[in-house]
Amino acid sequence: MTLSVRLSRAAGFPIDVAFEADGGVTALFGRSGAGKSTLIAMLAGLERADCGHVSVGGRVLYDSAKGIDVAPHARRTPVVFQDGRLFPHLSVAGNLAFAQRFGGGKPAALGPIVDLLGIGHLMRRRPGGLSGGEKQRVAIARALASSPDLLMLDEPLAALDEARKAEILPYLERLRTEAGLPMIYVSHAVSEVARLADRVVMLQGGRSVAAGPVTEVFADAATAAIMGPRDAGAILEGTIALHRPDDGLTEVALSSTRLSLPLVDAPVGTRVRMRLRATDIIVAVGATEGLSTHNVMPATVAFVREGEGPGALVGLECGADRLIARLTQRSVRTLGLAPGVACAAVLKAIAVPPEDVTVLS
């Protein structure tokens, strides 16, 4: 189901955004104040644009040229906020039943939704007796119960501690795989986007500065600079080729090489996604014998972007895969790194923690 968005506004918080997505999860990513929540409000019909067009699966929700502006309650684009916003006087079952009334004439079957989010044992309880993670799972279930055409999640994990985030992320991964509807996921957390998103729309100052597959956008020089030195890095996808349980390692086949990671609990042939942080990549020119790691990937420098301080971002092409390394500008000069220079990307296997590896299929 294709989502098409083109919106602009000059008054208030300026917005100028355009992107398309064909199902799956589209992440709206950017620093605080980038315009993520404002855009969500526009898509939901809670804030107005000056001009543009929004459609989901060919159903037009907004078209300034044709005078179409579907009311928020009729858009079938529910938003799950970070605080859940459940009705406190209703049980979990009551919250879901209320949402069913807004199903556009096609009430959702609750059984699969309850099973998907693991909330069957919570149905008689009220929101006041739920943990933060349980409230968010119920809030997502309530949104699904309204038979949406598009599900939007506005930083749903922002108010949770790390333990609760770890609890709910697997459910969000199941939702991505099994729900079968387009989703927009708002976040400024790279770890969440890396695990969940198929595509990314990078926002800065209310403008979409990049949009595309997550593996391409995160490896781009401009977007890496927006993310900052701590979060910059690449996302790669590969296939599990071999397990080495005696060594505690799994080998993942990439486009032109293999990458050793801590043991991944998935069978050979499974597709996985890995987040490789720029600060963990070492660049070598010349001989690479005598290293303690087996992850030495032949590469070619794609770009060098110097920062205002002592650091620089170096883009690397390893076959069809793209990496980013964060080095000092001194190292860049010493190694003679420039676009087209042949080198090697070096990565310790233990530099990729389990939370940075996502099983896709």
Side-chain angles (χ1 to χ4, degrees):
M1 183 179 289
T2 301
L3 167 65
S4 179
V5 175
R6 178 174 49 83
L7 292 171
S8 63
R9 183 177 74 179
F13 190 100
I15 290 289
D16 184 11
V17 173
F19 66 92
E20 292 193 357
D22 188 13
V25 179
T26 299
L28 302 182
F29 184 84
R31 295 175 178 174
S32 297
K36 304 183 297 293
S37 294
T38 300
L39 179 57
I40 281 282
M42 286 184 171
L43 294 174
L46 303 176
E47 290 198 27
R48 295 185 62 85
D50 291 338
C51 63
H53 174 95
V54 177
S55 64
V56 182
R59 178 172 173 254
V60 178
L61 305 182
Y62 175 74
D63 192 314
S64 57
K66 297 180 179 179
I68 299 174
D69 190 3
V70 177
H73 69 274
R75 292 199 174 197
R76 300 206 294 272
T77 57
V79 183
V80 177
F81 297 96
Q82 61 181 268
D83 56 1
R85 303 190 184 184
L86 300 173
F87 298 119
H89 62 292
L90 296 178
S91 65
V92 168
N95 270 272
L96 301 188
F98 182 88
Q100 278 186 303
R101 302 174 193 172
F102 296 92
K106 48 174 184 178
L110 293 184
I113 296 172
V114 170
D115 292 342
L116 175 65
L117 292 159
I119 58 172
H121 63 296
L122 305 175
M123 297 296 282
R124 295 184 179 182
R125 292 164 61 178
R126 293 192 177 186
L130 304 178
S131 69
E134 290 170 340
K135 287 179 182 177
Q136 286 304 81
R137 283 154 54 195
V138 172
I140 294 169
R142 185 177 65 175
L144 293 175
S146 67
S147 297
D149 290 336
L150 169 69
L151 175 63
M152 298 190 285
L153 301 100
D154 190 359
E155 304 214 47
L157 307 185
L160 304 179
D161 59 29
E162 292 304 316
R164 300 288 79 75
K165 288 181 182 179
E167 168 195 318
I168 198 172
L169 270 168
Y171 291 100
L172 293 175
E173 290 175 330
R174 288 185 62 189
L175 183 65
R176 176 196 62 201
T177 303
E178 301 178 24
L181 78 160
M183 292 186 283
I184 290 182
Y185 191 92
V186 174
S187 181
H188 63 269
V190 176
S191 58
E192 295 173 25
V193 174
R195 287 185 65 168
L196 299 172
D198 300 296
R199 286 161 302 280
V200 176
V201 178
M202 183 74 72
L203 298 178
Q204 186 177 35
R207 297 177 58 250
S208 51
V209 296
V214 62
T215 52
E216 295 181 8
V217 172
F218 273 37
D220 182 79
T223 54
I226 293 173
M227 292 164 63
R230 178 173 298 181
D231 288 331
I235 296 174
L236 304 185
E237 294 184 0
T239 302
I240 293 179
L242 180 68
H243 292 301
R244 297 185 181 278
D246 292 343
D247 297 329
L249 297 174
T250 291
E251 289 188 10
V252 176
L254 303 177
S255 64
S256 62
T257 187
R258 288 189 177 187
L259 190 66
S260 293
L261 306 174
L263 203 61
V264 179
D265 185 15
V268 170
T270 301
R271 293 285 295 174
V272 293
R273 175 183 291 172
M274 302 144 287
R275 177 188 174 199
L276 307 184
R277 302 166 194 255
T279 51
D280 291 331
I281 301 293
I282 296 171
V283 177
V285 175
T288 55
E289 291 83 6
L291 298 177
S292 61
T293 179
H294 297 291
N295 288 328
V296 180
M297 298 171 280
T300 302
V301 176
F303 66 79
V304 175
R305 181 163 183 156
E306 296 185 351
E308 296 180 358
L313 292 174
V314 179
L316 303 169
E317 294 180 349
C318 303
D321 300 305
R322 295 192 289 176
L323 300 175
I324 291 180
R326 178 167 171 78
L327 310 177
T328 64
Q329 294 180 28
R330 179 181 178 181
S331 292
V332 170
R333 292 191 297 269
T334 300
L335 295 174
L337 299 179
V341 170
C343 61
V346 182
L347 174 72
K348 293 191 297 184
I350 59 173
V352 186
E355 60 267 25
D356 282 350
V357 179
T358 303
V359 174
L360 297 177
S361 61

